[in-house]
Amino acid sequence: MTDAVIAATGLYTPPNTLTNAELVETFNAFVARENARNAEAIAAGQAEALSPSSVEFIEKASGIKSRYVMDKTGLVDPDLMRPIMPERPNEQISILAEIAVEAAMDALVAWNKPASEIDAVICAASNMQRAYPAMAIEIQDALGIDGFGFDMNVACSSATFGIKTAADYIASGSAKAVLVVNPEITSGHLNFQDRDSHFIFGDVATAVIVEAADQASGGWDILGTRLKTQFSNNIRNNFGFLNRAAPEGVGKPDKLFVQEGRKVFREVVPMVSEMIVAHAEDLGLDPTALKRLWLHQANINMNELIGRRVLGREPTPEENVIILDEYANTSSAGSIIAFHKHNDDFRPGELGLICSFGAGYSAGTVFVRKR
Ligand code: CO8
């Protein structure tokens, strides 16, 4: 069995920042318009007035201050409230593949080896732009990689599931180097007219190169990977190819992201904390000795609770890295952004944890040691 190493990571950050204030201003303009339109029905008690959103609530409930988005113009227009991304001809690279390639190129520069040394591409994300051909194969083609590629979707846990799959390929000898990309254009599948969730997500792409330890120089030893899934209806995206076959859905808007945020919070925190501690113990590691947690970035209060349960103390900001204030929830990419941006200070031998959790439910743990 060959050990696997995280040899390099890469990041693509979209050009547009969207602050809570901008998002709330648009949402509240929409609310004022809808309430004015329905004024008579509201006054007669036949319809409920919509409530405004607030910057203070968003920051306190989630820790999110801003996010990056691929298109901003449509999101700040109360008459649209969805991103504008014109369809591209088949001859042009698709937008999801394009941002994955950007992140991959960033990782390849850090790796300092050519793309031709990659054997496989896994595109692991919560929304694929199309069913087929696989996004991964388009990305493979754009980078000039000779090998194979496929897509996988485990929602917010896609990156850790991708890293584990890559590490298993390396262990079995199927590949010597695997590129895992996580392009997340979450703005395409978020209902910006839903007060409960309009602030949650942001767009981004990350890339991770997983390589055989016997040929890697530097990087991070993968000490252990573990995956867990447990069915829950509390986070769903019912968009799918059979939507158009449902007679009751004809003429209705696309199905978008929905969740029961409170329930997710309550159920996922214990599940993930226990999983991290048990996995550390099985690897013979002391979880309280971890130098850093690079947790999934959905909610700051959730991460603080998990951090406290895992480390057995109040984690410092250096121990429990937060990037969701700037990026919001970027689904699978969140823990990878945190890892990518905050690992320069590690010395050889020091330990950390990349951990994801989200829809499914799904969770993944990847313990790493600086080489
Ligand atoms: N402005 C002002 N007030 C608001 C707003 C708002 N925007 N929204 C809700 N409120 C009000 C509510 O009406 C409620 O009022 P009242 O108490 O009077 O009834 C009050 O605020 C509290 O509401 P909640 O209980 O809903 O608020 P919470 O404190 O629970 O916070 C959160 C909501 C932030 C959503 C929180 O529950 C949370 O973050 N939970 C964890 C969720 C999570 O981790 N989800 C992971 C999902 S991602 C994933 O796995 C899959 C991804 C797929 C990809 C993406 C595609 C888009």
Side-chain angles (χ1 to χ4, degrees):
M1 255 188 31
T2 310
D3 289 336
V5 165
I6 292 182
T9 55
L11 173 65
Y12 167 78
T13 301
N16 312 294
T17 305
L18 182 61
T19 64
N20 287 345
E22 291 169 311
L23 205 57
V24 166
E25 191 186 332
T26 312
F27 182 87
N28 289 351
F30 155 76
V31 165
R33 190 196 66 200
E34 286 302 295
N35 286 346
R37 201 166 59 84
N38 293 325
E40 270 182 35
I42 294 168
Q46 291 155 353
E48 260 190 50
L50 297 176
S51 301
S53 184
S54 100
V55 170
E56 296 69 35
F57 168 82
I58 295 171
E59 212 173 310
K60 186 162 178 288
S62 69
I64 296 165
K65 295 178 183 160
S66 66
R67 72 279 299 138
Y68 296 96
V69 289
M70 296 299 291
D71 171 70
K72 183 168 172 174
T73 48
L75 300 182
V76 292
D77 180 346
D79 293 328
L80 276 182
M81 299 179 81
R82 57 183 162 75
I84 304 166
M85 293 178 209
E87 194 175 344
R88 295 179 174 186
N90 287 354
E91 294 67 37
Q92 194 182 350
I93 189 165
S94 40
I95 192 163
L96 199 79
E98 184 176 274
I99 66 170
V101 166
E102 291 284 341
M105 291 196 308
D106 191 33
L108 286 165
V109 169
W111 194 36
N112 203 22
K113 292 184 188 176
S116 54
E117 292 201 24
I118 302 274
D119 304 309
V121 179
I122 301 174
C123 181
S126 52
N127 285 294
M128 297 302 162
Q129 189 163 347
R130 57 170 184 263
Y132 44 81
M135 302 309 302
I137 302 176
E138 190 178 9
I139 295 159
Q140 173 197 351
D141 181 61
L143 290 167
I145 293 168
D146 182 20
F148 65 95
F150 62 90
D151 297 345
M152 61 192 279
N153 176 352
V154 201
C156 289
S157 286
S158 301
T160 54
F161 277 60
I163 291 171
K164 185 187 171 31
T165 306
D168 287 352
Y169 279 156
I170 283 163
S172 67
S174 305
K176 293 297 264 182
V178 182
L179 171 67
V180 182
V181 283
N182 323 106
E184 294 286 6
I185 306 185
T186 64
S187 60
H189 233 258
L190 180 55
N191 182 355
F192 287 92
Q193 297 182 345
D194 173 29
R195 180 173 174 256
D196 290 342
S197 64
H198 76 112
F199 55 89
I200 292 181
F201 292 100
D203 300 338
V204 82
T206 50
V208 179
I209 295 172
V210 182
E211 189 179 16
D214 56 15
Q215 69 171 38
S217 52
W220 301 76
D221 288 316
I222 297 177
L223 300 179
T225 53
R226 183 169 289 179
L227 311 178
K228 183 178 170 70
T229 51
Q230 183 184 304
F231 187 72
S232 166
N233 277 320
N234 291 333
I235 316 171
R236 281 193 79 119
N237 169 344
N238 282 336
F239 180 75
F241 78 105
L242 286 179
N243 290 163
R244 64 187 285 274
E248 63 275 27
V250 173
K252 294 219 175 124
D254 278 354
K255 291 186 162 75
L256 300 170
F257 166 87
V258 288
Q259 74 165 353
E260 296 277 348
R262 264 282 142 107
K263 288 190 190 158
V264 174
F265 196 113
R266 232 184 10 246
E267 293 169 7
V268 168
V269 168
M271 176 181 127
V272 169
S273 312
E274 284 157 24
M275 178 177 171
I276 295 172
V277 171
H279 189 192
E281 282 168 1
D282 290 348
L283 290 170
L285 303 173
D286 174 5
T288 68
L290 293 169
K291 179 173 168 113
R292 188 154 302 152
L293 306 176
W294 298 283
L295 299 179
H296 172 51
Q297 305 280 317
N299 180 299
I300 196 167
N301 305 311
M302 230 172 162
N303 285 19
E304 279 171 5
L305 264 176
I306 294 172
R308 233 176 282 150
R309 290 188 185 189
V310 170
L311 297 179
R313 60 181 178 275
E314 196 64 51
T316 64
E318 291 73 34
E319 287 174 326
N320 200 2
V321 170
I322 297 296
I323 56 92
L324 63 83
D325 52 344
E326 179 185 347
Y327 282 84
N329 182 345
T330 49
S331 194
S332 68
S335 57
I336 307 300
I337 305 172
F339 176 71
H340 175 82
K341 288 178 88 94
H342 298 279
N343 70 36
D344 278 354
D345 57 329
F346 269 62
R347 290 187 302 267
E350 289 183 327
L351 302 170
L353 168 73
I354 298 169
C355 174
S356 67
F357 39 89
Y361 296 132
S362 58
T365 44
V366 180
F367 284 90
V368 293
R369 181 178 56 210
K370 181 73 186 159
R371 304 180 91 208

